[in-house]
Amino acid sequence: MQKAANPAAGRGFTLLELLVVMVIIGLLAGFVAPRYFSQVGKSRIKAARAQIDALDKAIEQFRLDVGRLPSSEEGLAALNTPPQGIASWEGPYLKKEVPLDPWGHPYLYVQPGTHQNDFDLISYGRDGREGGSGEDADITNW
């Protein structure tokens, strides 16, 4: 028994067919990529808000133990390293080092706060500068 030779069995795709498929994939990527990348930006904003909330709670725990807030000079480092001369420090108040914001910038801690708060926590967003909109907007605890 011999197999019948199929003349189309060895045939591959033509250049035109490959180009059509590549154009279709490119069009699909063009529609999907902007939506995907906007979701990444929104995720970073949500992560920054969650980190600010966690830092806020750690600072409040510091206040309960020590009886005062960390000064601007002590900064957020006081959550992991006891400031000199404080015997009632019960930290560390964070499991790890103080995180950078999702864009790789340090959070700004100001005490006393300027927005009817005892302290301000700020991420300047993607651009790392005050102001902006979208991913460049400031994310704060007020």
Side-chain angles (χ1 to χ4, degrees):
M1 267 173 58
Q2 291 183 350
K3 292 185 179 180
N6 186 353
R11 185 175 159 231
F13 293 107
T14 66
L15 180 61
L16 181 61
E17 291 170 330
L18 289 174
L19 288 174
V20 168
V21 169
M22 289 174 60
V23 166
I24 291 171
I25 290 172
L27 288 172
L28 289 173
F31 288 120
V32 172
R35 291 186 180 166
Y36 170 75
F37 287 116
S38 72
Q39 293 301 322
V40 170
K42 289 178 185 176
S43 297
R44 287 184 175 169
I45 291 169
K46 288 179 184 177
R49 286 190 180 128
Q51 286 178 333
I52 284 177
D53 186 50
L55 291 170
D56 191 290
K57 289 177 177 150
I59 291 168
E60 290 298 338
Q61 186 63 47
F62 178 98
R63 182 192 335 220
L64 288 172
D65 290 347
V66 175
R68 68 169 179 82
L69 291 168
S71 67
S72 292
E73 292 78 29
E74 293 167 339
L76 296 173
L79 299 174
N80 285 330
T81 306
Q84 290 190 352
I86 297 180
S88 58
W89 189 84
E90 297 288 329
Y93 298 97
L94 297 172
K95 291 181 181 180
K96 298 179 181 178
E97 291 296 314
V98 177
L100 298 175
D101 72 12
W103 298 276
H105 305 110
Y107 286 100
L108 179 64
Y109 171 77
V110 180
Q111 195 278 325
T114 58
H115 293 87
Q116 300 178 346
N117 287 337
D118 294 334
F119 61 92
D120 293 343
L121 280 172
I122 305 165
S123 166
Y124 285 136
R126 179 179 60 189
D127 64 356
R129 291 183 287 165
E130 190 172 355
S133 62
E135 269 192 89
D136 295 336
D138 301 344
I139 302 161
T140 65
N141 67 327
W142 64 84

